[in-house]
Amino acid sequence: MALNRKKFLNHKADYFLDVDADSESHLDTKDPMNSEKETRWLKNNHKWKILSFLSLIFAFYFSSRMNSYLSIDLNASVPVRNNQGSDSEKFTIRMNTFRRNELLKLSIDSISKCPGIAQIQIVWSDRENEPPDMSFFSKDARNLVVFEKHATDSLNNRFKPLLDISTDGIFSVDDDLVFHCEDLTLAFDTWRSSRMTIVGFSPRLVTYDKTKGLYTYHPGTLSAWFGAYNIILTKAAFFDKKYLS
């Protein structure tokens, strides 16, 4: 059946007008509960916008303050030397371990492939268990590894050598860390350019509050985010053997 086009359009227009009128009347009669929820949502949304804005300002401010503490030339180059020379051009690794032989093997087998290592001294402080046999390690590691057995159980044993050390450079490291050889070589060459310093992979930041007279030790994530630090942990660091007791 064919419809009259004019009537159809007029009917359609009347329909939409009726719908709009119903919608307007519906909006005019608001539910008090919905109105209260909408108001509360707008207030909360406004608060979050203000907090987000203040957080952004704080991040920029804190970043600028952290950068002002440092004077690092990121374009500075470190003179790289050949690590294959005499023992003065090599370094000794002193590795702490305690009942984590699988981690110890992983770390030793990996780091023993790197150039410039004179010896790997494993600081053994476990009085109840004997060190593993040399066959436990890879062929590359067996010629470098020696065990240093201590009578006491202390993390400070890494600073109390019982074995002779033929190099000036010491790399103090824990048994659960693995490094790329390129990173290790760069750190060693950086240390050799300034041997009175400590060069390492675990920076930390300590700040001082003058008003309270208190020091605050910040987690490593802060140093990672802002590049600010004034401490290097000896869990993975190069330093001169004269600092050993």
Side-chain angles (χ1 to χ4, degrees):
M1 181 177 67
L3 294 174
N4 184 294
R5 180 175 179 81
K6 187 174 182 180
K7 284 186 177 181
F8 175 76
L9 291 175
N10 288 337
H11 175 72
K12 187 175 181 182
D14 291 341
Y15 169 77
F16 282 109
L17 286 172
D18 291 341
V19 171
D20 292 340
D22 291 342
S23 299
E24 290 177 0
S25 63
H26 174 71
L27 292 174
D28 289 337
T29 57
K30 291 184 178 179
D31 185 357
M33 291 296 294
N34 290 335
S35 178
E36 183 180 350
K37 290 180 180 178
E38 182 180 354
T39 302
R40 187 162 57 248
W41 181 86
L42 288 173
K43 287 183 178 179
N44 291 334
N45 189 42
H46 186 63
K47 288 180 181 179
W48 277 112
K49 286 182 178 179
I50 293 176
L51 287 175
S52 299
F53 180 71
L54 292 176
S55 299
L56 187 63
I57 293 177
F58 174 77
F60 278 110
Y61 170 76
F62 192 75
S63 178
S64 63
R65 289 294 301 273
M66 290 300 100
N67 289 333
S68 67
Y69 294 153
L70 305 174
S71 57
I72 300 175
D73 183 5
L74 297 179
N75 296 318
S77 59
V78 177
V80 179
R81 304 176 179 86
N82 181 11
N83 290 342
Q84 299 297 333
S86 64
D87 278 356
S88 63
E89 298 297 315
K90 295 184 178 182
F91 60 92
T92 299
I93 295 176
R94 289 185 58 79
M95 181 178 292
N96 252 16
T97 186
F98 193 82
R99 299 179 183 177
R100 300 192 295 188
N101 286 357
E102 292 302 323
L103 288 177
L104 175 65
K105 174 179 171 56
L106 179 64
S107 181
I108 291 294
D109 289 350
S110 174
I111 204 169
S112 62
K113 299 176 183 178
C114 299
I117 301 173
Q119 193 175 60
I120 302 175
Q121 299 180 351
I122 300 177
V123 181
W124 190 267
S125 302
D126 188 351
R127 295 178 294 175
E128 297 180 6
N129 299 288
E130 290 296 318
D133 189 77
M134 284 298 172
S135 59
F136 182 67
F137 302 105
S138 66
K139 292 182 179 179
D140 292 331
R142 293 171 195 170
N143 295 327
L144 296 172
V145 169
V146 292
F147 283 94
E148 181 182 276
K149 298 175 64 175
H150 287 258
T152 59
D153 177 12
S154 172
L155 290 174
N156 290 327
N157 285 340
R158 74 172 75 197
F159 304 113
K160 302 174 181 179
L162 304 178
L163 302 174
D164 291 334
I165 299 175
S166 62
T167 64
D168 292 331
I170 301 293
F171 183 58
S172 173
V173 63
D174 288 347
D175 60 0
D176 58 346
L177 299 176
V178 176
F179 299 91
H180 292 291
C181 292
E182 294 82 1
D183 296 333
L184 201 62
T185 299
L186 177 61
F188 180 47
D189 285 324
T190 302
W191 172 78
R192 283 195 291 170
S193 67
S194 182
R195 298 191 177 209
M196 295 299 101
T197 61
I198 297 178
V199 176
F201 298 90
S202 299
R204 295 293 186 272
L205 178 67
V206 174
T207 55
Y208 179 70
D209 189 334
K210 293 181 179 179
T211 59
K212 298 180 180 180
L214 297 175
Y215 290 93
T216 302
Y217 179 85
H218 300 280
T221 50
L222 190 67
S223 296
W225 288 342
F226 298 103
Y229 65 93
N230 47 23
I231 289 178
I232 295 292
L233 301 186
T234 53
K235 64 181 296 181
F238 281 97
F239 53 82
D240 195 287
K241 71 175 180 181
K242 73 177 183 179
Y243 295 116
L244 299 176
S245 59

